[in-house]
Amino acid sequence: MYSRKPFYLIVAALFIVGLAMMLHRHFVYEVPWLPGEKRQIWSIEAKVEFEASGNPIKASLAIPGSQPGFTLMNESAASPGYGLSFVDATGDTRAEWSIRTADGPQELYYKVDMMRDPFAKELLSTEIPEVQGVTVAEPYATAMDQVLAAAQERSADGITLTRELLKELSNKGQNAELLAQYKTPGKLLLDLLNRADVPARLLKGLELEDGRRRQPLVDILQVYEGERYEIFNPITGKQGQQDNLLLWEYHSAPVLDLVGGSNSRVTFTMLEQERPVNVALAQKFDEPDWINVSLYNLPLEEQALFKGILLIPIGVLMVVFLRIIVGVKTSGTFMPVLIAMAFIQTSLLTGLVGFLLIVGTGLILRSYLSHLNLLLVARISAVIIMVIGIIGFFSIVAYQLGLTQGMKITFFPMIILAWTIERMSILWEEEGVKEVVKQGGGSLLVAVAAFLAMNNELIRHLTFNFLGLQLVVMAAVLVLGNYTGYRLLELKRFKPLVSGD
């Protein structure tokens, strides 16, 4: 007896490989399961202003990179007359402008697009900074020691000490009021931690708010406890990286290093926008590797072609299910799939009306040809020409009546319609009108079901973005093809047995 094990192994392999490809696309390349998702993009412009005095100018600006919560998409700079380079020095990328001579007010611009990205990799420095010695004059030294002593009693390590220091400084006590005059909150907190031998570094962050102009950077503290670290906002006291905070400089380097100029400052303007997820991800993965099986790597013309082609297996699955499991009879095996493809182009109502008009008129004309006793090839050729003429005639009539939707019946597959008319005409002669209505109605029913499945937005999204779905559909078709039981529509024959008649 023939073993079915190889068949089931093939089906299981197709399903597992297809599902694995889909999961890989979702978790590695971040393609969402649902359509219509968008990604938030922040366009940020840094404006560098300074006074030049006729000397050579060299301006070095810290610039952000991909970091937890954000992925760098695009960056550009405007610097009329200046040379520009992006320099990477020990992981710290900076934009450097240079010019032989400049005089008067100068303006340099740097623009970057950062995508909100929960999958972004962490690129913050994990190198533990050295504890800097802090020399503080009185009365600030005594105030700092008293604040530290109070906070250390309620802390267990450097991170908890930072939390307690933030509470002490926010209580607005006598020591806190005095230290507020000493330094900015970020630098004060850094000095306090260094005084307690806790490694920490001061970063610069940009608080994102749509439409804001001329915004400065804010201090952010990175506090270490062993190899672990935490981010703190010295102003708000919040722990952890905030959703609306983009770290701009995170290597304890100057934000702007200017040689040859004076009175410099850097301000930021930001704008929030949303882009479809496929556009954003295409930019993020602009250098696809061999394992990134994506149709977005193809030219747009080919992408548009495949959007339609990849829907055909879904229509085929509907045909297989309705014919094998339900037992619906159709005129032709996969003619309903091609009709459903035409419905996608014409809309369902227009397609149904057009199909009935073409097939009905074709059957009337074909009945005349049956009296001419033509050979099969000549008869089919004549039917094809008739179908083309019918489609052209109805298109002209629809245009004259102002029914622009009616002109889309040209999307119907003319050869398939010709064969459908031929089969139905022969069936009419051999089996009668009842069988023609049954198979014709079944074909339309299956075509409508296939259209509803193929025209679904979720199905369109999945078939185009997850090619592994094709293997899953193939596995399902093979399983359905192995079914040898009764069709659902055949069960009515056993109804008398159930009722006892």
Side-chain angles (χ1 to χ4, degrees), residues 215-290:
Q215 295 299 296
L217 296 177
V218 297
D219 289 335
I220 300 296
L221 207 64
Q222 186 181 19
V223 183
Y224 284 82
E225 178 58 41
E227 295 184 354
R228 184 171 68 95
Y229 69 82
E230 281 290 345
I231 300 293
F232 290 88
N233 188 324
I235 304 297
T236 63
K238 291 183 179 179
Q239 180 179 343
Q241 189 161 347
Q242 304 165 44
D243 290 339
N244 66 333
L245 182 71
L246 172 69
L247 295 179
W248 192 273
E249 198 290 314
Y250 33 87
H251 294 87
S252 297
V255 174
L256 177 65
D257 189 2
L258 179 65
V259 177
S262 60
N263 299 326
S264 63
R265 68 169 180 168
V266 184
T267 55
F268 299 85
T269 301
M270 63 208 77
L271 185 66
E272 178 189 6
Q273 52 186 320
E274 289 187 336
R275 294 181 189 172
V277 68
N278 60 315
V279 176
L281 294 181
Q283 286 184 279
K284 179 178 179 180
F285 300 108
D286 58 350
E287 296 181 0
D289 51 52
W290 67 271

Side-chain angles (χ1 to χ4, degrees), residues 44-63:
I44 305 163
E45 183 181 75
K47 181 181 180 181
V48 180
E49 300 174 275
F50 60 91
E51 290 286 339
S53 55
N55 299 318
I57 299 293
K58 182 179 178 181
S60 176
L61 176 69
I63 58 178

Side-chain angles (χ1 to χ4, degrees), residues 71-119:
T71 294
L72 189 149
M73 305 294 288
N74 297 304
E75 60 181 348
S76 59
S79 50
Y82 281 79
L84 174 65
S85 298
F86 292 99
V87 180
D88 187 359
T90 64
D92 183 14
T93 304
R94 303 180 68 90
E96 288 193 357
W97 289 272
S98 59
I99 193 171
R100 178 62 62 181
T101 180
D103 192 18
Q106 304 291 306
E107 293 181 352
L108 306 175
Y109 294 90
Y110 169 80
K111 182 180 179 182
V112 63
D113 291 336
M114 302 294 292
M115 178 176 70
R116 178 83 69 181
D117 186 1
F119 298 92

